Amino acid sequence: MAEPVFKDMLVLELASVLAGPSVGQFFAELGATVVKLENAATGGDVTRSWKLAGEQARGGVSAYFSAANWGKLSVGLDITQPHALQAVHKLAAKADVIIASYKPGDAEKLQVDYHTLAQLNPRLVYGHITGYGLEDQRAGYDAVVQAESGFMHMNGSPDGPPTKMPVALVDLLAAHQLKEGILTALIQRGCTGKGSYVQVSLFDAAVSALANQGTNYLVAGHNPQRMGSEHPNIVPYGSVYTCKDGLQLVLAIGDDRQFKRLCRVLGDAALADNPDYATNSARVQHRSAVNQQLKQLIRQQERDGLLRELHRLHVPAGAVNSVPEVFEQPQARRMLLTQPNGPSGIRQVAFVVEGTAAETVTPPPAFAQHQAQVLDNLADTP
């Protein structure tokens, strides 16, 4: 029978908020034992207190904390105290992976840095998220790095202000980079028997994700500006249109054949033969006119019927869904983590590896819920 891929792995999470904890949940979903160390002096991970207005009167784990903490064992310790630090060192000596999110220099002060812990465990893979790299002492905050890395400048309406993404995009990008780095280090350890130090910064992860917008500047000298949901290189791509019934859809036309089929479905096949619209290069030059023509044609259509026909002809298009509408879709439902008589969560693992079992993941823990379980196990360790 297939087993979870990391069933024998111990991960010690010395991280809070979203980036590091989402990496911890990733390993938990794949079968690892993940011990989340929370600061007893402050009441644990700060996101436990980040509640929506509607959550304030309700007890239990916050929605934000639930975003990245399924499947973990929670221990509350103040590692400035010698007995607590000793417990962490014992855990580190047994761990395969540590996930940390300390500012540069803080882990060294607390004696939980890679150099210190690797003396106890040479096979340790230590993943460290910083804000700006080891040479910069600033703490990293997603919104600030979104601004500093160009994302806010590019995001929003042309006549509106720079706009932050509605999720902590940079935290999530850094988390993915750290996962990749840790997995690479684990492969390396399998060859050499030695652990290693893996470091990623929020800023580096953000710059790496500038993708075509970054190379539009580096290669073509183009300074990306706010375009709403429009695409600088492709038309219509990301464009949003309102249908006859008031519902909205988005188009993502990647080539000229798709544009021809779109025009045919909309009842104006000749539009695709117009020299101003026939090629993507021409459509980029005549963006406003293309959008105006499509806006008028799409306004005459009911959304669901139009989407069915576009999908049948393999024309990339989709409904603009609210979050509740997202979770009505079967593809989204399979991404849920569930618990009896409790709210669902969202999986960090969005891939399937053939030959491994899906892991049953426990709900987000209460603060220090597993204190006795974890510390009693340490007491039994020589």
Side-chain angles (χ1 to χ4, degrees):
M1 182 178 177
E3 294 182 325
V5 65
F6 292 135
K7 71 178 184 67
D8 297 321
M9 178 178 289
L10 174 62
V11 176
L12 177 57
E13 183 183 298
L14 309 178
S16 59
V17 190
L18 183 60
S22 73
V23 179
Q25 183 174 315
F26 166 84
F27 281 103
E29 288 180 35
L30 293 173
T33 298
V34 180
V35 176
K36 181 180 181 70
L37 177 66
E38 302 190 62
N39 189 347
T42 61
D45 191 315
V46 67
T47 62
R48 289 186 179 278
S49 66
W50 289 2
K51 293 189 175 184
L52 297 163
E55 289 187 276
Q56 298 296 340
R58 173 171 79 76
V61 174
S62 73
Y64 200 113
F65 183 82
S66 298
N69 288 290
W70 281 70
K72 300 177 186 177
L73 307 177
S74 172
V75 173
L77 294 172
D78 177 0
I79 60 174
T80 63
Q81 302 303 312
H83 71 281
L85 181 60
Q86 182 182 26
V88 173
H89 282 182
K90 282 190 173 184
L91 279 168
K94 300 169 60 179
D96 294 283
V97 173
I98 284 182
I99 302 164
S101 59
Y102 296 108
K103 288 187 299 180
D106 284 1
E108 287 79 3
K109 293 174 185 175
L110 293 167
Q111 300 178 64
V112 290
D113 57 292
Y114 173 66
H115 178 75
T116 298
L117 300 183
Q119 304 303 309
L120 306 173
N121 181 358
R123 289 177 53 81
L124 182 66
V125 172
Y126 189 109
H128 187 189
I129 293 179
T130 67
Y132 302 90
L134 299 179
E135 69 284 352
D136 194 319
Q137 300 296 310
R138 286 179 292 167
Y141 292 91
D142 177 90
V144 175
V145 179
Q146 283 197 40
E148 293 176 327
S149 61
F151 278 90
M152 282 183 65
H153 177 79
M154 294 186 292
N155 190 42
S157 301
D159 57 351
T163 304
K164 183 182 76 66
M165 290 288 290
V167 295
L169 172 69
V170 175
D171 276 1
L172 297 173
L173 291 171
H176 284 300
Q177 290 282 353
L178 190 64
K179 291 171 194 172
E180 293 164 11
I182 290 173
L183 293 174
T184 300
L186 288 170
I187 293 171
Q188 180 177 274
R189 186 179 74 180
C191 299
T192 67
K194 296 180 180 180
S196 54
Y197 176 68
V198 180
Q199 191 271 139
V200 63
S201 76
L202 299 183
F203 190 82
D204 287 356
V207 171
S208 174
L210 287 173
N212 62 291
Q213 295 284 21
T215 54
N216 279 345
Y217 168 68
L218 294 171
V219 175
H222 170 75
N223 181 11
Q225 302 297 315
R226 288 185 290 285
M227 300 179 65
S229 63
E230 295 280 315
H231 195 292
N233 304 73
I234 317 172
V235 174
Y237 193 101
S239 310
V240 178
Y241 303 95
T242 302
C243 297
K244 183 178 180 179
D245 49 16
L247 301 176
Q248 293 181 311
L249 60 81
V250 64
L251 295 174
I253 304 302
D255 63 42
D256 300 332
R257 293 171 301 169
Q258 293 171 352
F259 187 72
K260 284 180 178 292
R261 293 198 293 270
L262 170 66
C263 293
R264 190 163 67 247
V265 171
L266 293 176
D268 192 353
L271 186 64
D273 297 324
N274 184 320
D276 288 348
Y277 310 146
T279 67
N280 182 65
S281 296
R283 293 192 295 274
V284 170
Q285 295 296 323
H286 299 89
R287 179 187 301 273
S288 179
V290 173
N291 279 329
Q292 190 58 37
Q293 292 279 0
L294 294 178
K295 182 178 180 181
Q296 293 174 3
L297 292 169
I298 291 172
R299 190 182 291 136
Q300 301 170 33
Q301 306 277 339
E302 300 284 341
R303 186 181 74 177
D304 289 352
L306 175 57
L307 284 176
R308 279 195 298 271
E309 186 62 11
L310 292 175
H311 293 167
R312 186 181 73 81
L313 295 175
H314 307 291
V315 177
V320 178
N321 288 327
S322 66
V323 171
E325 289 170 332
V326 170
F327 288 111
E328 292 172 3
Q329 300 177 73
Q331 296 93 331
R333 299 297 298 178
R334 67 177 176 233
M335 285 299 299
L336 296 183
L337 295 164
T338 59
Q339 60 178 314
N341 305 314
S344 298
I346 302 174
R347 292 186 178 276
Q348 297 292 321
V349 177
F351 58 80
V352 177
V353 177
E354 186 177 359
T356 63
E359 179 71 358
T360 300
V361 185
T362 56
F367 173 65
Q369 179 179 337
H370 305 95
Q371 193 91 347
Q373 175 184 337
V374 173
L375 296 186
D376 286 352
N377 184 50
L378 284 179
D380 296 335
T381 302

